[in-house]
Amino acid sequence: MDPVRSVDPDTLPYRISLEAANRTVGLIAFALPLALLAVTALGIGCQSIESLSDYYFTPLGGDLFSGALMIIGAVMLFFYSLPKRPRGGVIDVSHYRGHTKSDFRLARLAGAMAFVVALFPASGPGCEDLGGGVARAFITEAQGGAGQAITGAVSMDFLSTIGQGQSWLSWLHYGAAAVMFLVLAFYSYVVFTRVQTVDGTAAPVIEKGTRKWMRNTLYRACGIVIVIAMVALALSLVIADPDSPNWWDRANLTFWFESLALFAFGLSWSVKGRVLPILRDRDEDNPRKTLK
């Protein structure tokens, strides 16, 4: 049989859409803090975690933390891409409803930063207690084996075994997280609130009470919450006392503000991905119902 050279995309048994990408990113981001809390509730790893980043050093939490961020990063880095520039022409982005070329570049930047956050951990060990194997550790200068006990230096992070200390890792980790969340806040407050027409950057009047108006209210609220969480986390660096835990550390507020930012991010992207049918406009097509 001759290979099929042209296919109507509506007849394909699968669908890849910007809506599906937004929904995937949103649900993963929203579920990540809940999954990590479940790890702690099940007694896997540390029982007291000061930040989401500390889960990197726990047996199952590290897999969930890094894996979720890398999925989010892959979707945003490779899916949010512009078409190739035609020979002798310019890129036409008018059919990307509600997005500009700069928006796509920012989305891909956020995706790259998600990879950095996942692969370059914070400098803290996350869990001080190594008893019972509750924390994931690397052994350097290992000796023994073949029936003998293995001895060596315990390191909480593999990257520290090939680097000169961990201070640069912490700056890289939190710097990448700050850039990522700034982009996500911009998307929630600016990009998602645009009218999704062919000329998506136009600003027609949106009638109060419509579903688009309600979605925009939620988008802006999520963007504001992300910024508030980032400001709170920045202020925590000012009041931090490395010698003795203070009220901020005792209440694990770093963890809760990080979770709040992720919840807002996940909610905004889930709404944009139309995770619930009621979020659609009454005359809006539902791609998930077009497959036969």
Side-chain angles (χ1 to χ4, degrees):
M1 296 179 61
D2 292 333
V4 177
R5 301 189 182 279
S6 62
V7 178
D8 181 356
D10 290 335
T11 65
L12 293 175
Y14 56 85
R15 184 177 300 277
I16 301 175
S17 65
L18 186 59
E19 178 182 294
N22 290 329
R23 185 167 58 251
T24 299
V25 168
L27 290 176
I28 292 175
F30 193 89
L32 179 57
L34 299 177
L36 295 178
L37 284 173
V39 168
T40 297
L42 292 173
I44 305 174
C46 309
Q47 295 303 303
S48 178
I49 295 289
E50 293 183 358
S51 74
L52 288 173
S53 302
D54 289 344
Y55 276 97
Y56 174 91
F57 302 97
T58 62
L60 178 58
D63 299 329
L64 292 173
F65 177 79
S66 296
L69 284 173
M70 292 180 73
I71 293 175
I72 291 173
V75 173
M76 299 190 74
L77 184 59
F78 299 111
F79 190 88
Y80 288 77
S81 60
L82 289 168
K84 293 183 178 180
R85 185 186 302 274
R87 186 182 301 273
V90 297
I91 297 176
D92 178 16
V93 296
S94 61
H95 58 289
Y96 287 100
R97 297 179 295 177
H99 291 75
T100 67
K101 289 185 290 185
S102 297
D103 297 335
F104 277 91
R105 294 189 181 104
L106 286 174
R108 300 185 77 179
L109 173 63
M113 293 301 100
F115 272 98
V116 174
V117 174
L119 297 176
F120 294 86
S123 60
C127 180
E128 302 284 351
D129 182 12
L130 295 179
V134 296
R136 186 168 55 179
F138 298 94
I139 304 297
T140 61
E141 302 176 1
Q143 297 179 356
Q148 299 179 355
I150 297 178
T151 60
V154 175
S155 173
M156 296 304 301
D157 172 42
F158 173 72
L159 289 174
S160 69
T161 68
I162 58 176
Q164 301 296 322
Q166 294 183 338
S167 59
W168 65 275
L169 288 175
S170 182
W171 284 105
L172 183 61
H173 175 86
Y174 289 115
V179 172
M180 181 184 72
F181 277 113
L182 279 174
V183 173
L184 300 178
F186 172 79
Y187 253 74
S188 292
Y189 200 90
V190 178
V191 179
F192 287 172
T193 56
R194 295 176 185 149
V195 174
Q196 302 300 292
T197 60
V198 174
D199 185 15
T201 58
V205 176
I206 300 175
E207 295 184 8
K208 186 176 182 179
T210 62
R211 292 187 180 182
K212 175 59 176 173
W213 178 87
M214 290 186 288
R215 290 197 303 272
N216 280 4
T217 301
L218 183 57
Y219 292 144
R220 291 191 176 97
C222 289
I224 292 172
V225 168
I226 292 174
V227 172
I228 290 175
M230 291 181 61
V231 171
L233 292 171
L235 291 176
S236 71
L237 299 177
V238 178
I239 63 176
D241 185 354
D243 297 326
S244 61
N246 54 24
W247 58 271
W248 180 280
D249 298 320
R250 288 192 294 271
N252 288 334
L253 291 183
T254 296
F255 172 87
W256 292 113
F257 274 110
E258 289 175 340
S259 298
L260 182 63
L262 268 180
F263 282 140
F265 161 39
L267 179 60
S268 179
W269 256 251
S270 297
V271 171
K272 189 62 178 177
R274 303 297 192 268
V275 67
L276 297 175
I278 196 174
L279 298 171
R280 298 184 182 277
D281 294 326
R282 290 179 175 82
D283 58 347
E284 182 180 357
D285 294 334
N286 185 349
R288 285 180 281 178
K289 290 187 177 181
T290 60
L291 297 180
K292 303 298 183 181

